[in-house]
Amino acid sequence: MSSRSVAETFKTLPTSYGVGKKLVVDKDLAILNYANEPTAYLNAKHRDVCKYASQNDPKYKMVRNALASTIDGFRTRQTPMSYQPPERPKPSLCLLLLQPWRQAQVDDSVFLLMAWQMAFLHTEILHIVLEVCEKDDDPSQASNLRPQYWIIDGLDECRNKAGIVPLLLKVIECCAIRILLTSKDPYESDRQAGPSRVRVLNEVIPADDTRVDISLYLKANMHNSSSVDREVRQVMSDKILAKSAGCFLWVKLVLQELDVYIHLQRSANGMSAAPHGKVHSKAILIWTMCFTRPLTTEELLHALQIDIKDSLDSVERSITSSCGQLVYVDSQSRVQMIHQTARDYLLQADVHPEFGIEKPYGHKRLTLTCLQYLNGSEMKGPRHPLLNSWATNLLCLVTKFGKELLSFPFSIFHLVPLFCPPESAPRKNFAACTRGIAVLGLYATEWDDCTSTTFEPNEQYHALAYSENYFALGTFSGNIVLYSAETCQETQRLYLGEPVRLLLYGKTTNVLAAAGAKTIRTWDLTTTQQVWDIKTPQLCMSFATTDGDELLLGALRSNNLLVSEMKTGTLRDSSNWTEDLEGQQAHTFCRPIAAAFCMNSNLLAVIYKCQDILPWDLERDDLYNTYNTMTGAGPMLGRRAADAGAIALCRAPGANLLAAAYSDGDLVLFDTSDGYVKALTAANAHTLASSPDGRTLASGDGSGKLQIFEFENLKLLYLV
């Protein structure tokens, strides 16, 4: 073979085979070790080594260049064959042998390979076959050849094994060929068509003999598990033997995976025992395993400096000193894991207390580091229009597809861009990369503020309530429709029997309360069964629950505070919050028009027509103070030019903020702890609502305009 030119390539990516991932053919088995034999790495798996995406694929270019170089070498050297090729093509030994098999419609690829090997290894066979082909097409004329030996392994894996054995018998009858077959299925002579002069020796290897051999193999090759207790090692050996089913290859692969696992465990333990560098090690592992592609050393250096806020002189030295047993730098300065198994091992957070990595934590850490960089000094200056576009697109992606991305993060690559508007950045940049999926009929070309629209003919919505997973709408006809917060699809329907004025979800229990003009009713949403209802003498303006959903509090238009048990509806108390007021005060507050609870501050704020706002202290059962736009907290000033029409108390713990919308268009923020007007702005609001965390305040006016304010200072955040 010294006159031959051989170029070898071998794979670098592991292939999944059920119990793990492994290189199917190791490097030492993929090359022939001839003199001057060039070798090259192919960045591919076993199944993809001959598959190329295009002519620009690096794998294709590497193989093409190797073939071109080999052909050029052939052109500069004289052909080593001592015979001259025939003037016209003649049937080769392969085709002559395969004539009867082709008629039998048997897959002839195996026999073609066997015949070619015979002619390639023995030049005299090739000469004889060519001479025979010149005279006659009968291959039996080559009977004076020396015996040839075929070894065919794994006959049971052949698609037409029943038809191959008779053909092999015919080959032996007409040619000096001896064949050794191995198969899991036994040989059955009575199934062969017609008598045969060929002697067949049938040797059966008992299953017990195979088990003994596998047991000896396990005993000889489990030396790498010396760190494991002897009894545990014996249990492992017995389990592998019981599941082997006589397959040596499976046992070998399991032992290889076991060796890798033990090596990884020792490497991680060694990193833990190191006196320093654990922070660097963990950071390098996170960036190497969680990033979507291998980072270069320069990229990793900048990322680590932002992530761990420490300067590094050399990434290569840090890798070698802290985690060199698990991470390496390749010839293109890319940082990679030594093996896919190492990545899988460390991504199981429970396998190692210090270096096990939870994937969500790793991606969160990478995201925060990238955001720090984007917000850093290097990104300051004139902003590119594309960057401004993505700032809007990222917000809309979270709003539209937040739940889906939390459940299926990988959908951002191939599914989510398809459902984005045609003119959005995700659709333009990434939708073309999808695999044969198309989404048609999207009505909006750009992002819209509205994420969903709910509409029912002949219905008017009067009340809204929300929880973590659902929201409910109450209608004038008495229907209560429950929707999923993720899909905005209807999930349940309830019926109050009168126009729904108020809705409220329980804080800790799966209960929904509804109030109409004369009724308060609750349902258990788990069973959709009504729990209780009570009749009210006057309209309920607002209600709330105490911590733990123990009590339900309702503010009635008759100045009464209704207190009921949430579980049973039993009336605990019904007191008038104005009964202790004397003189002019008692006559001033006659009939309220709106009310709002804040259980964090234990306050009930009530609005009266042409009067100041009255906050009531629920804990002391006493008047807290009165508020107006001129002086804040202070004595009652009588009638004012503008009336408060809507009110909201901040729900944040310890916030002590009260917002009121007046008929002259002013939106006023009061500080209830100091009693002064903290902020004032024009909003023309007809209704107000606080966010659950108390950070934002929403207002709506008669024209359908929605405004979102920062509750602490009434700074406008968003306008719809």
Side-chain angles (χ1 to χ4, degrees):
M1 293 297 291
S2 61
S3 63
R4 304 289 182 186
S5 177
V6 181
E8 299 292 347
T9 60
F10 48 90
K11 306 169 289 297
T12 60
L13 299 180
T15 300
S16 301
Y17 53 84
V19 296
K21 296 182 179 179
K22 189 68 178 178
L23 289 175
V24 176
V25 181
D26 294 329
K27 176 183 176 182
D28 56 342
L29 300 178
I31 59 178
L32 300 177
N33 292 318
Y34 291 138
N36 301 322
E37 174 189 353
T39 60
Y41 293 92
L42 276 182
N43 188 32
K45 299 179 181 180
H46 182 73
R47 300 186 182 96
D48 304 329
V49 69
C50 294
K51 298 178 181 178
Y52 313 113
S54 66
Q55 293 185 357
N56 295 323
D57 192 327
K59 296 182 294 181
Y60 172 82
K61 292 181 179 180
M62 183 181 297
V63 176
R64 180 199 62 190
N65 295 339
L67 291 174
S69 176
T70 303
I71 294 173
D72 289 340
F74 287 159
R75 289 172 177 170
T76 58
R77 296 196 300 269
Q78 184 179 0
T79 176
M81 289 293 186
S82 59
Y83 66 93
Q84 296 296 326
E87 295 180 359
R88 61 183 179 86
K90 295 289 186 177
S92 65
L93 174 64
C94 307
L95 298 178
L96 292 174
L97 291 176
L98 294 174
Q99 288 300 329
W101 302 339
R102 291 182 184 274
Q103 297 174 1
Q105 297 182 352
V106 178
D107 186 2
D108 54 15
S109 59
V110 175
F111 304 105
L112 183 66
L113 178 62
M114 299 295 294
W116 179 84
Q117 290 184 36
M118 291 170 59
F120 182 78
L121 293 174
H122 303 285
T123 307
E124 64 272 18
I125 294 179
L126 182 59
H127 285 293
I128 293 173
V129 170
L130 292 175
E131 292 175 2
V132 171
C133 291
E134 290 288 345
K135 300 176 182 179
D136 194 287
D137 288 347
D138 185 6
S140 63
Q141 298 294 326
S143 59
N144 58 341
L145 297 177
R146 64 180 180 179
Q148 300 293 307
Y149 298 92
W150 292 3
I151 299 177
I152 302 177
D153 184 27
L155 184 64
D156 54 290
E157 299 178 6
C158 181
R159 287 178 296 180
N160 192 8
K161 56 187 176 183
I164 287 182
V165 174
L167 297 176
L168 292 176
L169 294 175
K170 292 180 181 180
V171 171
I172 297 174
E173 290 179 357
C174 69
C175 302
I177 295 177
R178 304 293 181 265
I179 302 176
L180 172 65
L181 295 175
T182 64
S183 174
K184 290 183 179 180
D185 300 329
Y187 172 74
E188 299 177 355
S189 58
D190 55 339
R191 290 195 175 186
Q192 309 308 324
S196 176
R197 295 181 286 109
V198 178
R199 182 186 177 190
V200 178
L201 298 179
N202 187 19
E203 295 288 343
V204 179
I205 302 176
D208 291 340
D209 291 351
T210 305
R211 289 178 60 87
V212 172
D213 293 340
I214 293 178
S215 178
L216 293 174
Y217 179 81
L218 288 171
K219 184 177 181 181
N221 289 275
M222 290 193 69
H223 55 276
N224 288 337
S225 306
S226 57
S227 60
V228 182
D229 188 82
R230 178 179 296 181
E231 294 182 359
V232 176
R233 197 159 61 241
Q234 184 61 44
V235 172
M236 292 166 54
S237 178
D238 293 341
K239 286 185 177 181
I240 295 174
L241 180 62
K243 295 182 179 181
S244 64
C247 182
F248 268 93
L249 178 60
W250 184 85
V251 174
K252 179 183 177 182
L253 294 175
V254 170
L255 287 182
Q256 289 175 350
E257 287 298 308
L258 185 61
D259 292 343
V260 171
Y261 180 87
I262 293 174
H263 170 75
L264 294 174
Q265 193 174 42
R266 290 174 179 172
S267 300
N269 291 336
M271 291 162 56
S272 297
H276 58 276
K278 294 182 182 180
V279 175
H280 291 181
S281 302
K282 185 78 175 275
I284 291 172
L285 290 174
I286 289 176
W287 281 92
T288 305
M289 292 189 297
C290 296
F291 212 78
T292 56
R293 62 170 177 83
L295 293 171
T296 64
T297 53
E298 184 178 0
E299 291 172 335
L300 182 58
L301 175 63
H302 290 294
L304 292 176
Q305 288 176 344
I306 299 175
D307 184 13
I308 62 178
K309 297 178 177 57
D310 192 5
S311 59
L312 298 175
D313 297 331
S314 172
V315 171
E316 291 88 342
R317 282 202 298 269
S318 297
I319 291 175
T320 303
S321 61
S322 60
C323 51
Q325 294 176 308
L326 300 175
V327 181
Y328 75 99
V329 180
D330 64 13
S331 59
Q332 298 178 354
S333 297
R334 296 178 303 183
V335 183
Q336 304 202 43
M337 299 297 295
I338 59 169
H339 197 277
Q340 180 65 30
T341 307
R343 182 190 303 271
D344 297 339
Y345 171 80
L346 292 176
L347 285 177
Q348 304 175 43
D350 55 343
V351 299
H352 199 275
E354 287 189 86
F355 294 103
I357 297 170
E358 293 183 357
K359 217 172 198 179
Y361 168 76
H363 286 299
K364 178 181 178 181
R365 184 163 169 175
L366 267 60
T367 302
L368 292 177
T369 303
C370 293
L371 290 176
Q372 289 181 34
Y373 175 76
L374 292 174
N375 200 36
S377 57
E378 294 187 24
M379 298 299 291
K380 290 183 178 179
R383 299 183 65 180
H384 194 278
L386 182 61
L387 186 60
N388 291 328
S389 171
W390 270 106
T392 303
N393 279 274
L394 289 175
L395 289 174
C396 294
L397 280 172
V398 173
T399 304
K400 291 277 190 179
F401 307 104
K403 297 287 186 179
E404 291 78 8
L405 290 174
L406 286 175
S407 302
F408 306 100
F410 286 99
S411 63
I412 190 65
F413 295 111
H414 302 299
L415 290 178
V416 169
L418 289 170
F419 292 91
C420 297
E423 298 301 321
S424 64
R427 180 71 174 266
K428 285 184 175 180
N429 291 287
F430 301 108
C433 303
T434 54
R435 307 162 186 169
I437 303 176
V439 176
L440 305 175
L442 296 176
Y443 70 92
T445 58
E446 295 282 358
W447 290 111
D448 191 0
D449 292 322
C450 179
T451 58
S452 177
T453 301
T454 301
F455 172 75
E456 286 195 36
N458 305 320
E459 286 284 15
Q460 292 183 356
Y461 296 110
H462 277 206
L464 168 68
Y466 54 87
S467 65
E468 184 177 355
N469 299 315
Y470 300 95
F471 67 91
L473 295 176
T475 68
F476 186 79
S477 63
N479 289 314
I480 302 172
V481 188
L482 279 63
Y483 298 88
S484 169
E486 295 182 1
T487 63
C488 297
Q489 300 298 309
E490 180 180 332
T491 59
Q492 294 178 2
R493 273 185 179 259
L494 306 172
Y495 186 66
L496 180 62
E498 58 180 297
V500 182
R501 303 290 182 179
L502 296 172
L503 290 171
L504 179 68
Y505 275 99
K507 297 177 182 177
T508 59
T509 57
N510 195 23
V511 174
L512 177 69
K518 299 180 180 179
T519 306
I520 297 178
R521 183 175 298 167
T522 62
W523 290 268
D524 184 345
L525 298 181
T526 304
T527 61
T528 68
Q529 298 296 317
Q530 176 182 322
V531 180
W532 54 264
D533 69 343
I534 57 175
K535 301 298 181 181
T536 57
Q538 291 288 335
L539 175 69
C540 183
M541 301 179 294
S542 176
F543 54 14
T545 60
T546 58
D547 292 339
D549 292 341
E550 182 181 355
L551 300 175
L552 177 68
L553 280 64
L556 305 184
R557 185 157 286 180
S558 58
N559 290 317
N560 282 80
L561 178 64
L562 195 70
V563 182
S564 303
E565 292 185 3
M566 192 65 174
K567 290 183 178 180
T568 62
T570 303
L571 186 63
R572 284 275 195 94
D573 189 17
S574 179
S575 58
N576 188 309
W577 60 73
T578 63
E579 62 184 7
D580 293 334
L581 299 179
E582 299 178 355
Q584 184 64 29
Q585 291 184 355
H587 298 286
T588 301
F589 300 104
C590 54
R591 188 173 178 84
I593 58 176
F597 285 96
C598 180
M599 302 311 298
N600 290 327
S601 304
N602 286 317
L603 288 181
L604 168 64
V606 186
I607 298 176
Y608 293 85
K609 187 176 181 180
C610 302
Q611 300 296 330
D612 295 334
I613 301 171
L614 184 150
W616 191 264
D617 192 322
L618 297 174
E619 187 174 4
R620 295 188 296 112
D621 193 20
D622 193 10
L623 180 65
Y624 185 82
N625 213 327
T626 58
Y627 289 91
N628 61 83
T629 57
M630 301 299 296
T631 61
M636 299 182 185
L637 302 177
R639 297 179 62 88
R640 39 173 282 115
D643 300 331
I647 194 169
L649 288 159
C650 183
R651 297 185 180 183
N656 299 320
L657 297 176
L658 184 153
Y662 287 87
S663 58
D664 59 0
D666 287 343
L667 177 60
V668 183
L669 181 66
F670 299 98
D671 188 325
T672 57
S673 61
D674 296 333
Y676 65 90
V677 176
K678 190 173 183 179
L680 186 147
T681 187
N684 294 316
H686 289 185
T687 182
L688 298 174
S690 170
S691 63
D693 58 5
R695 298 177 60 183
T696 55
L697 174 70
S699 72
D701 63 12
S703 63
K705 182 173 65 176
L706 301 176
Q707 299 181 84
I708 309 297
F709 300 92
E710 191 172 345
F711 211 135
E712 188 177 4
N713 51 26
L714 295 187
K715 177 183 177 182
L716 182 63
L717 300 176
Y718 205 70
L719 174 64
V720 181

